[in-house]
Amino acid sequence: MIENRKAGIVLDIRQIYPSIYQVQLPLRGNPLKELNCYIVKGSKRNLVIDTAFNQEEAKNILLEALGQLDCPLEKTDSFLTHCHADHAGLLYAIKTKDNRCYTSEVDGEIVNAAHRPGYRNEGMAVSGTRMGFLELAAAHPASSNRCPQAIDFTYVKEGDRIDLGGFVFEVVDLSGHSPGQVGLYEPDKQLLFVGDHILGKITPNITYWNDDFDALGVYLANLRKVRAMDVQHMYGAHRFNVESHVERVDQLLAHHDRRLEEVRGLLRAGKQTAFEVAAGMHWDFGGGDFLNFPLTQQWFAAGEALSHLEYLRHNGQAVRAKKGPLLLYRLA
């Protein structure tokens, strides 16, 4: 571990594998508290896996860590696992004309869409949340912490290889938590970087993106794919790193089985919108009282409910109707 305090910066760099370092970047104002940023030192190139919110403290820590590890930006590329602002916010601070930023095309387009004229993300209006778009947008952490400029991404897909010298990573499709989340797998060393696909203690938020994307169904399929892989070291983006990926995948699959049964029960009881279903679901957050959650947590919870409702619809177990912007569900 390398510890350094400079100009108010608390720098904690941990070597977690030969030539691989973990740096915890603060996520101020977010219940997750920190992001696990990874820096891989290769003989040809270096690689930063995920950044954090666009916040000055996190930026200073990241840049100082790269300096301490002798990773000049012109020799250091970056890899974005997915589009969320707590991973993409600082890409601009380390992207230069001499390096690359890898991600999937679908999530790269989502990151850059926010910088196009007239951009509005109103997807969650279908859930029945009891607040307006402007109120939601102002409360969402992505509003103030997103990457402040479009990024010239290098798009990758499953099976593509990134050779750093000493590490040859294969890109793995881990979509579900986002439409195009990707991870990195080193088959010889059996290393897997999973972003938010598999986390210790907490379950990744699976939400609604659009009618054609069954986020939960895709997520569960990719969980099973990872379960079958040979993995000795798995590195996630938040909290602690999981020792047994098989055990954790089984826990997550069981969790969503319980969630689906809970949602079916709420539909039987006459709940129709995702907001109504979310209000009846069990939550560990904030004492479990959904109606007293902060606006952003209500939004995340309603999105979680909606992804389960959409899974039931895609699998023929539920049907839906539209009432204005709302989606109304009932059991098939």
Side-chain angles (χ1 to χ4, degrees):
M1 180 175 67
I2 302 171
E3 291 185 352
N4 188 8
R5 293 174 180 266
K6 178 182 178 182
I9 297 174
V10 179
L11 187 63
D12 183 352
I13 305 174
R14 299 175 183 272
Q15 184 170 343
I16 56 173
Y17 190 88
S19 299
I20 299 179
Y21 300 85
Q22 177 181 297
V23 182
Q24 290 191 324
L25 301 180
L27 300 171
R28 299 303 180 202
N30 188 283
L32 290 172
K33 298 182 180 179
E34 294 171 323
L35 175 122
N36 297 330
C37 170
Y38 298 98
I39 300 173
V40 184
K41 287 179 63 68
S43 61
K44 298 178 181 177
R45 305 284 295 176
N46 309 308
L47 188 70
V48 176
I49 301 173
D50 285 337
T51 63
F53 281 150
N54 177 26
Q55 296 175 342
E56 196 69 17
E57 181 185 7
K59 182 175 76 171
N60 291 338
I61 291 173
L62 176 56
L63 293 176
E64 182 66 19
L66 290 172
Q68 289 283 326
L69 293 172
D70 190 24
C71 295
L73 294 184
E74 65 270 16
K75 295 183 178 180
T76 302
D77 300 314
S78 55
F79 184 90
L80 174 66
T81 59
H82 64 289
C83 58
H84 291 149
D86 59 322
H87 295 249
L90 289 175
L91 291 176
Y92 77 99
I94 58 175
K95 180 72 179 77
T96 75
K97 63 180 179 60
D98 299 311
N99 62 20
R100 292 183 174 186
C101 180
Y102 302 100
T103 196
S104 71
E105 183 172 3
V106 62
D107 275 33
E109 289 295 304
I110 292 171
V111 171
N112 286 339
H115 302 287
R116 296 182 184 130
Y119 170 73
R120 280 167 66 99
N121 178 7
E122 300 186 73
M124 285 305 294
V126 301
S127 71
T129 49
R130 300 173 185 177
M131 59 205 80
F133 169 76
L134 294 178
E135 189 180 15
L136 271 171
H140 199 286
S143 299
S144 57
N145 296 307
R146 66 165 57 101
C147 187
Q149 65 190 51
I151 299 296
D152 180 17
F153 288 110
T154 297
Y155 292 134
V156 293
K157 61 185 182 303
E158 181 161 89
D160 287 350
R161 292 157 67 93
I162 299 175
D163 186 353
L164 303 180
F167 297 92
V168 181
F169 288 106
E170 296 178 359
V171 177
V172 182
D173 176 9
L174 298 179
S175 50
H177 176 64
S178 78
Q181 180 168 226
V182 282
L184 287 175
Y185 179 57
E186 222 292 357
D188 291 340
K189 299 175 176 60
Q190 297 185 353
L191 307 172
L192 180 64
F193 292 90
V194 291
D196 282 2
H197 186 60
I198 299 171
L199 301 174
K201 189 177 181 179
I202 57 178
T203 55
N205 177 253
I206 310 300
T207 193
Y208 169 88
W209 291 88
N210 58 62
D211 281 356
D212 297 326
F213 181 60
D214 176 15
L216 181 58
V218 171
Y219 175 71
L220 296 177
N222 281 329
L223 277 181
R224 295 185 178 98
K225 178 174 69 179
V226 171
R227 190 187 190 283
M229 294 172 65
D230 293 324
V231 178
Q232 292 297 319
H233 305 279
M234 187 170 69
Y235 303 120
H238 303 285
R239 306 294 170 87
F240 60 87
N241 287 318
V242 174
E243 291 187 5
S244 169
H245 72 293
V246 171
E247 180 180 352
R248 185 58 180 151
V249 166
D250 287 344
Q251 291 171 351
L252 291 169
L253 292 172
H255 165 81
H256 287 289
D257 281 344
R258 293 191 296 270
R259 274 292 198 223
L260 288 166
E261 183 54 40
E262 185 178 35
V263 169
R264 283 189 287 262
L266 289 164
L267 291 179
R268 292 187 196 101
K271 306 302 181 184
Q272 292 183 290
T273 69
F275 187 89
E276 292 171 336
V277 170
M281 294 168 69
H282 171 78
W283 303 101
D284 292 331
F285 178 85
D289 188 353
F290 173 80
L291 295 178
N292 287 328
F293 287 0
L295 293 182
T296 51
Q297 297 305 318
Q298 286 191 6
W299 193 359
F300 292 143
E304 183 93 8
L306 191 51
S307 72
H308 287 71
L309 290 164
E310 281 292 290
Y311 175 88
L312 295 176
R313 180 180 74 87
H314 279 273
N315 285 275
Q317 299 178 51
V319 294
R320 76 178 194 194
K322 289 191 174 183
K323 183 179 180 181
L326 292 180
L327 297 178
L328 306 178
Y329 293 82
R330 63 177 175 83
L331 289 176

